[in-house]
């Protein structure tokens, strides 16, 4: 199997970069260490805006002019999806609990949120009130998700600490999964800028821009 082609590596604005989202113009990144969200201008890798998250920002996705951030909250690590309005902050009322109180990465197909469950190896399409409308199966644990067209691209691995990491995709019309390439680092999150992908090499504190 071929390996992804790294185009660039950039230092994350905080340690333990975890979540990523592309809004059409800029990249958004969430850090496990700082528990903050950063808006990054990728032309010079400068931070344009940042804000504290209401929990640990495990996953994130852009929805038009807003973002949805999957947070682990309180000492019990309750998993909730929060609404972020750039320039205004987090909606203090909006809170969508994750199904089964588990989930890490988010995707958006233009109509529905999708939440991935690492250890259950599933991607769940959600209704506006958080109900599950469709379930997709993955062959391994899911550590990154982004939806492009009719495909859910996944960063995934069978062994978190020492195993291989893969880039694959699920065809939403058939539910079939296929491996596309190896990822030569323990990836966290996926974003797509319309041409290429981003992921985090969390342990190195870097965000990686890559292609197939």
């Amino acid at each position: 199997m071929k390996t992804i082609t790294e185009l660039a590596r950039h230092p994350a604005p905080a340690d333990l970069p975890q979540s990523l989202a592309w809004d059409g113009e800029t990249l958004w990144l969430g850090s496990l260490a700082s528990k903050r969200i950063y808006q990054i201008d990728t032309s010079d890798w400068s931070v344009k805006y940042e804000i504290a998250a209401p929990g640990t920002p495990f996953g994130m996705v852009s929805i038009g002019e807003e973002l949805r951030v999957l947070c682990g909250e309180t000492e019990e690590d309750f998993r909730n999806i929060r609404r972020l309005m750039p320039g205004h902050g987090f909606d203090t009322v909006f809170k969508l609990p994750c199904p089964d109180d588990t989930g890490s990465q988010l995707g958006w197909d233009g109509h529905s949120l999708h939440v991935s469950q690492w250890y259950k190896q599933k991607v769940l399409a959600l209704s506006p009130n958080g109900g599950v409308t469709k379930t997709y199966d993955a062959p391994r644990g899911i550590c990154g998700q982004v939806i492009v067209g009719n495909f859910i691209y996944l960063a995934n691995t069978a062994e978190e600490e020492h195993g291989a990491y893969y880039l694959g995709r699920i065809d939403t019309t058939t539910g079939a999964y296929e491996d596309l390439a190896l990822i030569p680092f323990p990836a966290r999150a996926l974003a797509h800028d319309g041409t290429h992908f981003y992921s985090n090499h969390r342990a190195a504190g870097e965000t990686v821009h890559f292609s197939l």
Side-chain angles (χ1 to χ4, degrees):
M1 188 184 305
K2 65 182 179 181
T3 301
I4 63 165
T5 299
E6 292 193 17
L7 304 174
R9 279 181 174 254
H10 302 278
D15 290 339
L16 302 180
Q18 168 68 23
S19 49
L20 290 171
W22 178 262
D23 68 4
E25 295 181 355
T26 57
L27 186 69
W28 294 79
L29 181 149
S31 161
L32 298 188
S34 68
K35 297 184 180 180
R36 297 180 71 83
I37 306 295
Y38 305 87
Q39 183 187 22
I40 300 170
D41 183 341
T42 57
S43 67
D44 59 4
W45 208 252
S46 62
V47 174
K48 298 178 61 178
Y49 172 81
E50 65 178 275
I51 188 171
T56 303
F58 286 104
M60 183 163 49
V61 71
S62 175
I63 299 178
E65 296 182 353
E66 300 179 353
L67 291 99
R68 297 292 182 267
V69 183
L70 194 159
C71 293
E73 302 179 24
T74 76
E75 292 183 356
E76 288 77 18
D77 194 30
F78 294 124
R79 299 296 171 102
N80 296 305
I81 299 169
R82 297 289 190 168
R83 177 190 183 205
L84 173 57
M85 298 169 288
H88 300 281
F90 278 91
D91 185 332
T92 59
V93 176
F94 183 96
K95 181 173 75 172
L96 196 66
C98 290
D100 307 318
D101 194 30
T102 185
S104 56
Q105 300 292 333
L106 291 176
W108 173 253
D109 66 0
H111 305 283
S112 302
L113 273 174
H114 291 60
V115 59
S116 60
Q117 299 176 323
W118 181 314
Y119 299 109
K120 293 189 176 184
Q121 302 178 11
K122 295 183 183 298
V123 179
L124 309 178
L126 304 183
S127 67
N129 65 0
V132 178
T133 60
K134 194 167 185 178
T135 301
Y136 301 95
D137 293 316
R140 309 177 191 91
I142 301 167
C143 48
Q145 177 195 172
V146 66
I147 299 176
V148 182
N150 293 325
F151 295 96
I152 306 172
Y153 287 83
L154 302 176
N156 60 98
T157 182
E159 172 51 54
E160 181 176 355
E161 296 297 327
H162 305 292
Y165 280 71
Y166 299 85
L167 177 68
R169 67 184 185 183
I170 296 171
D171 186 333
T172 58
T173 60
T174 65
Y177 172 90
E178 64 173 331
D179 283 323
L180 299 174
L182 288 167
I183 302 175
F185 57 88
R188 295 295 186 273
L190 281 176
H192 192 265
D193 64 8
T195 305
H196 302 305
F197 294 90
Y198 286 95
S199 187
N200 290 315
H201 186 172
R202 190 173 72 187
E206 296 176 328
T207 300
V208 183
H209 197 203
F210 70 91
S211 72
L212 280 170

